[in-house]
């Protein structure tokens, strides 16, 4: 434990550098501990369209007891299936980088201008599209495919109420056969050195 | 097809920029086509240790016919299970960046020096470890967990011989509940604009 704290000090709080420092000292057990976040949960997959689309998702909770309940398993399965169908690019609004936001805005603006609308109308079209942007690309903001009246974050909130533990989507990956790109979305947790 | 070629010209061969260019023109169908690689295959998952470790892997072949054979499915399942157990960090040797290689070498050197060995011996230890490095971190170089006498690349080669089509591991992701990092390994295919 002391080694982890010293390593984080040496690395000025940079976790990756701290792990390198610990490994250099031969303290690989401590290095392993430093990569653990205090969380439980489950990794689940969903394979769609005869093996052409696949999703891997990690959902965290506070205890392994909750992670093993049918309620939790159902939630994780629903989220994995939703990601396969709805193709989100990020977990939360906060995960969208300013660069990605500006790139999308720029694309919508060019589309609006190309459609031949006057500048004032074009600008309104862009504003309208950007209002819907988060709902289209962020998992937590998307309407749940099995019940479009609630968002994924509301689906999770309902389970939190039922199970009495905090629950959060940690990360997901989505591959489609033949596509150049793949989606890998990760939320950065707070690091706890203990 | 012409739109794709023009977009790639405009973007000087940068695929992402080409897609942005096409989307700006409202040519989203062409943008979708530009992201397709001419390949078939399957995305498969493997969940280990009661939902604590999960793997998603895409393996490509040349026809959907081969992708649907039991032989191909068995191969993809074996590779996914192997990744869960052996925790590779890259698909191929060529995917290891020079920075990653140097970082590992630096860690081994510091370990050897910390062990108190004379510099000449320490240097030999580092050389020995780096010879094993690729075998430890690259999926294709790792000994297959179900038959340690062959490597994963030899396992694939045997299936290529049997099925008569080229087969390659395109990408994989590996999540472990509670770990800070995740492994996402991607091989970049040649882009074909057609």
């Amino acid at each position: 434990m002391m080694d982890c704290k010293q390593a984080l000090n040496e690395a000025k709080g940079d976790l990756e550098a701290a792990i390198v420092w610990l490994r250099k000292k031969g303290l690989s057990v401590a290095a392993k501990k430093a990569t653990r976040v205090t969380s439980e949960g489950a990794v689940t997959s969903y394979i769609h369209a005869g093996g052409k689309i696949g999703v891997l998702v990690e959902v965290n909770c506070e205890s392994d007891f909750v992670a093993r309940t049918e309620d939790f398993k159902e939630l994780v399965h629903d989220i994995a299936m939703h990601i396969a169908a709805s193709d989100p690019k990020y977990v939360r609004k906060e995960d969208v980088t300013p660069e990605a936001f500006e790139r999308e805005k720029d694309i919508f603006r060019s589309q609006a201008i190309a459609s031949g609308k006057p500048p004032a109308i074009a600008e309104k079209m862009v504003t309208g599209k950007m209002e819907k942007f988060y709902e289209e690309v962020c998992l937590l903001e998307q309407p749940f495919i099995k019940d479009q009246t609630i968002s994924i974050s509301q689906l999770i909130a309902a389970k939190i109420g039922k199970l009495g533990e905090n629950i959060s989507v940690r990360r997901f990956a989505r591959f489609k056969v033949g596509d150049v790109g793949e989606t890998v979305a990760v939320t950065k947790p707070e690091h706890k050195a203990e």
Side-chain angles (χ1 to χ4, degrees), chain A:
Chain A
M1 197 201 301
M2 283 312 297
D3 290 327
C4 291
K5 280 189 179 162
Q6 197 188 340
L8 279 167
N9 277 341
E10 293 280 338
K12 299 187 179 66
D14 178 339
L15 184 60
E16 296 230 345
I19 292 165
V20 168
W21 188 88
L22 285 165
R23 288 187 59 203
K24 282 186 179 178
K25 299 274 167 195
L27 299 168
S28 54
V29 176
K32 267 197 183 150
K33 249 186 203 160
T35 66
R36 271 199 66 84
V37 179
T38 49
S39 58
E40 286 292 342
V43 181
T44 299
S45 63
Y46 183 80
I47 304 294
H48 189 67
K52 298 304 178 193
I53 296 173
V55 168
L56 191 67
V57 62
E58 178 179 341
V59 180
N60 289 147
C61 56
E62 293 173 50
S63 73
D64 193 45
F65 177 79
V66 160
R68 289 172 189 275
T69 60
E70 285 308 312
D71 265 306
F72 186 79
K73 284 178 188 168
E74 183 193 53
L75 174 69
V76 181
H77 173 81
D78 277 346
I79 292 173
M81 192 180 57
H82 174 94
I83 294 168
S86 299
D87 195 16
K89 301 299 179 194
Y90 306 89
V91 176
R92 309 166 304 175
K93 278 185 186 180
E94 302 92 290
D95 302 326
V96 179
T97 59
E99 294 76 32
F101 188 87
E102 280 308 315
R103 191 184 56 221
E104 289 301 311
K105 206 168 170 180
D106 189 37
I107 288 171
F108 289 138
R109 190 174 290 124
S110 298
Q111 283 177 355
I113 291 167
S115 71
K117 296 275 188 300
I121 306 282
E123 205 51 45
K124 267 190 191 161
M125 283 168 68
V126 172
T127 308
K129 287 211 173 181
M130 291 316 287
E131 270 168 17
K132 285 213 154 186
F133 173 67
Y134 287 124
E135 203 178 294
E136 277 165 13
V137 299
C138 298
L139 171 65
L140 296 186
E141 307 301 320
Q142 291 182 331
F144 178 36
I145 48 156
K146 283 167 75 178
D147 177 1
Q148 305 267 336
T149 64
I150 58 168
S151 65
I152 294 292
S153 77
Q154 288 169 324
L155 178 75
I156 294 171
K159 287 284 183 182
I160 292 173
K162 190 166 178 188
L163 294 169
E165 280 197 5
N166 197 18
I167 296 171
S168 58
V169 177
R170 176 71 191 292
R171 47 195 163 193
F172 67 83
R174 184 182 184 277
F175 296 168
K176 187 177 171 192
V177 171
D179 261 19
V180 169
E182 55 281 320
T183 306
V184 179
V186 177
T187 63
K188 291 288 167 214
E190 293 294 309
H191 177 69
K192 293 169 188 163
E194 42 175 1

